[in-house]
Amino acid sequence: MKKMSLSMAGKRRREAYCFILPAFFYMILVLGYPLVYNIILSFKNVNVKNLTKGGSVFVGFQNYIDLFQNATFRLVLKNTFVFTIACLVFQFTIGFIFALFFSQKFKLSGPIRGMILVSYMMPMSVTGLLGKNIFANAGLINDLLSKIGIAGPEWLVNTSTSMIAVIIMNCWVGIPFNMLLLVSGLTNIPGDVYESASIDGATWIQRFRYITLPLMKGSIFSVLMLGFIYTFRAFDLMYIMTSGGPLNSTDVLGTYSYTLSFTQFEFSKGSAVAMVLFACLFIVGLFYLRLLSKEDD
């Protein structure tokens, strides 16, 4: 009987490997190979002149040294963190307020929440084109401002307002995402806890501080970490709305890597920028996994 159970366990293990191996090889080919090739490329000097001739040379960390000595790259790195943090603050705050509101039971809760989710379901390319038209010189925002006697700025061609326009459009997409995840976290809190707190005389502020926030700590960390990862690697919204301009004021690591690789044809430097982006996200991912392990413990 024991031998039979062992043979059955071995058979199930082999069946499991049969299902896992195709996905494993797919990940190696689609993700692993490009990542390794990009790492190798970032340590070489590959540009449009020596790409076809095969005359690239190994330069070590020189590409990374040149990047961090470049004022444009430092500006791009700063833009990336400013854009990410600003979007996280507004997306999470407004999304949390919406989640608290729509977690209440009222008649039109479902339809209104579904309408808000439309912006999240739209492709980012469509959102970028929409934002480009809204913030154009003769767009919707300036038209509304002119009706109340205010001369609107040139949003997308002004270095002081272009980042604001991009942040607003990204928040328009990110708020429903935050709301959706936080609503699911709120629904998992037992209603009996709130009823007991109300009976004991707790105000809504006390219930929010001592019940809602502690019980939603895991959901809040997940939303913030996922929001950071999705926002930090942004590319398509900036590329469509501003192409990183004006004067690199909306350039982030994703758009700058694309510009170096496919506009200036400095493939190695573009790969180095991509690896900086990957390193930042990898560190955040490790931090998130450590938090999850602590929560499990």
Side-chain angles (χ1 to χ4, degrees):
M1 188 69 180
K2 188 175 181 180
K3 290 183 179 180
M4 186 179 294
S5 62
L6 290 174
S7 62
M8 288 294 293
K11 184 178 180 182
R12 289 178 181 176
R13 191 179 295 110
R14 287 193 296 270
E15 290 176 352
Y17 283 133
C18 290
F19 285 104
I20 293 172
L21 284 176
F24 175 76
F25 287 124
Y26 175 81
M27 295 289 288
I28 291 295
L29 291 174
V30 176
L31 297 178
Y33 172 73
L35 178 61
V36 173
Y37 182 79
N38 195 77
I39 294 172
I40 296 172
L41 192 63
S42 68
F43 290 110
K44 291 184 175 182
N45 180 22
V46 180
N47 52 45
V48 70
K49 296 179 181 179
N50 58 25
L51 178 65
T52 56
K53 297 179 181 179
S56 61
V57 294
F58 182 81
V59 295
F61 288 95
Q62 189 60 45
N63 289 321
Y64 295 94
I65 295 171
D66 292 342
L67 281 178
F68 282 96
Q69 290 177 346
N70 189 339
T72 302
F73 174 76
R74 294 196 298 269
L75 174 63
V76 168
L77 193 61
K78 176 186 173 183
N79 289 342
T80 307
F81 280 99
V82 168
F83 171 76
T84 303
I85 294 171
C87 287
L88 278 184
V89 170
F90 288 107
Q91 287 174 183
F92 179 78
T93 304
I94 301 173
F96 205 168
I97 294 171
F98 279 3
L100 292 171
F101 178 73
F102 286 111
S103 63
Q104 307 298 318
K105 294 180 180 180
F106 58 94
K107 189 174 182 180
L108 296 177
S109 173
I112 297 175
R113 186 166 57 185
M115 292 175 62
I116 294 175
L117 288 173
V118 170
S119 61
Y120 173 64
M121 294 185 291
M122 291 175 61
M124 191 60 77
S125 56
V126 177
T127 302
L129 290 173
L130 184 63
K132 194 172 184 178
N133 290 324
I134 289 175
F135 288 99
N137 293 341
L140 177 63
I141 300 296
N142 284 350
D143 183 58
L144 293 175
L145 291 174
S146 64
K147 289 181 179 179
I148 59 176
I150 299 176
E154 296 180 340
W155 292 92
L156 301 180
V157 296
N158 193 325
T159 55
S160 60
T161 57
S162 55
M163 180 61 80
I164 297 174
V166 176
I167 289 173
I168 290 173
M169 291 309 299
N170 192 73
C171 289
W172 186 64
V173 177
I175 288 171
F177 172 76
N178 283 259
M179 180 194 72
L180 191 64
L181 294 181
L182 291 170
V183 164
S184 63
L186 285 170
T187 55
N188 291 328
I189 300 177
D192 298 339
V193 180
Y194 290 111
E195 292 178 5
S196 300
S198 299
I199 293 171
D200 292 337
T203 62
W204 70 270
I205 296 177
Q206 291 173 330
R207 293 197 299 268
F208 177 76
R209 180 179 177 182
Y210 296 108
I211 297 175
T212 304
L213 288 180
L215 293 179
M216 285 196 64
K217 187 167 64 173
S219 299
I220 290 172
F221 279 138
S222 299
V223 170
L224 290 176
M225 291 299 103
L226 290 174
F228 185 92
I229 292 170
Y230 290 151
T231 308
F232 196 83
R233 62 182 180 84
F235 167 77
D236 37 12
L237 185 63
M238 278 83 167
Y239 187 76
I240 293 172
M241 286 187 66
T242 61
S243 298
L247 300 176
N248 302 106
S249 59
T250 59
D251 241 339
V252 291
L253 290 174
T255 56
Y256 190 58
S257 175
Y258 180 88
T259 301
L260 287 175
S261 298
F262 303 110
T263 302
Q264 301 178 14
F265 302 108
E266 295 286 346
F267 301 109
S268 291
K269 290 184 178 179
S271 298
V273 174
M275 291 312 303
V276 172
L277 173 61
F278 173 78
C280 293
L281 294 180
F282 184 72
I283 293 170
V284 172
L286 289 179
F287 177 70
Y288 176 54
L289 291 176
R290 187 175 180 182
L291 287 176
L292 288 180
S293 64
K294 286 185 178 181
E295 288 291 326
D296 293 337
D297 294 339

